[in-house]
Structure formats: structure tokens, C-alpha cells
Amino acid sequence: MLKRVLPVFAALSLGGCASDMQAGDPFADMFGGVPEARAARVAAVVASHPLGTEQNPVRVNMPAGQRSYLGRLRCADGKTPTFHRLGSAGDGPYGTIIDGYQVDCPGSQPASNVIFLDMYHPNHYETEAPPGYTIVP
């Protein structure tokens, strides 16, 4: 009997946890993404800062989105930059953790830069590039 009841109890308990997540809850934002309406309000405020800074991180969808976005960047000389993740940089303006990436363009300007990305935006596709870079579609 216990073998039949335990899985049902576990499933009900986990379901209750998910329903307790409230708007603005960092766990809800990380696992479900920042709500689009709130993201739009924050984006309007942070647009006064250059894209890719800690104050205005690039919005992407998960680590694959980070790599995809950085792979679409082009240096000022038109070449593809190299990049590697530096690590988490704490809370960003959207209330989620942002990551810093070292982006290098040898022989171009900027030669080296840190670009910050927020990977909790599943419905956003960034079409702009940080200052000093271009982006391909």
C-alpha cells in the first residue's frame, strides 16, 4: 500500500510547490522566464544604458540562447569573435541572475570586452548588437 501512496503524495506535493510561485518570485522567473509584460517595462527603463552592460544585459533563452547570440555577433572588422563564460555576475535589472562573457576580437576594436546576458527570457530574440559590434540575423 505504501508503495502506491508514496508516488501519488510526492506528485501532489511537487504540484503544490509550482502553484505557490508568484509573479516576481525569482524561482518562477528562472524556471518559467521573466513575464513579458514586466520584461517590457524593465527594458524601457534600462534602454538608456548600452546593450550588453550589467545595467542592460542582452536577453536570451537559456545557455543555448547565450551561445547562439554570441555566435551571431561580428567584430568591427566583420570577423566572428571568440568568447567564453566568466561566470554569474549576480542579480540583473530583470531580477534574475546574469552571466558575463569575455568576448575577444583580436586586431579589431574593441579588442576585448565583457558582455552580460540574462538567460531567462524564453520569448525574446535580440536583434541588436552591443556598441562596437554588429549582428547577423
Side-chain angles (χ1 to χ4, degrees):
M1 171 89 172
L2 185 59
K3 288 181 182 178
R4 291 183 193 161
V5 173
L6 191 57
V8 172
F9 177 74
L12 291 173
S13 297
L14 291 175
C17 292
S19 65
D20 288 341
M21 292 184 187
Q22 301 296 317
D25 178 344
F27 291 111
D29 292 349
M30 284 190 278
F31 294 113
V34 176
E36 290 184 51
R38 182 160 48 94
R41 287 192 305 272
V42 174
V45 173
V46 302
S48 63
H49 299 281
L51 182 64
T53 60
E54 288 182 87
Q55 298 82 14
N56 186 9
V58 177
R59 293 179 287 158
V60 296
N61 184 23
M62 296 284 109
Q66 292 177 328
R67 292 185 299 274
S68 175
Y69 176 81
L70 293 168
R72 294 187 298 121
L73 285 183
R74 296 296 177 264
C75 304
D77 63 5
K79 295 181 181 173
T80 303
T82 61
F83 58 88
H84 68 274
R85 185 176 181 274
L86 298 173
S88 297
D91 289 345
Y94 295 92
T96 51
I97 298 169
I98 60 174
D99 293 330
Y101 277 80
Q102 180 73 40
V103 179
D104 296 312
C105 293
S108 187
Q109 290 297 321
S112 186
N113 196 16
V114 176
I115 295 178
F116 294 91
L117 298 103
D118 185 328
M119 68 175 179
Y120 301 104
H121 299 270
N123 298 315
H124 185 78
Y125 183 80
E126 186 58 64
T127 59
E128 300 294 321
Y133 301 90
T134 58
I135 194 162
V136 295

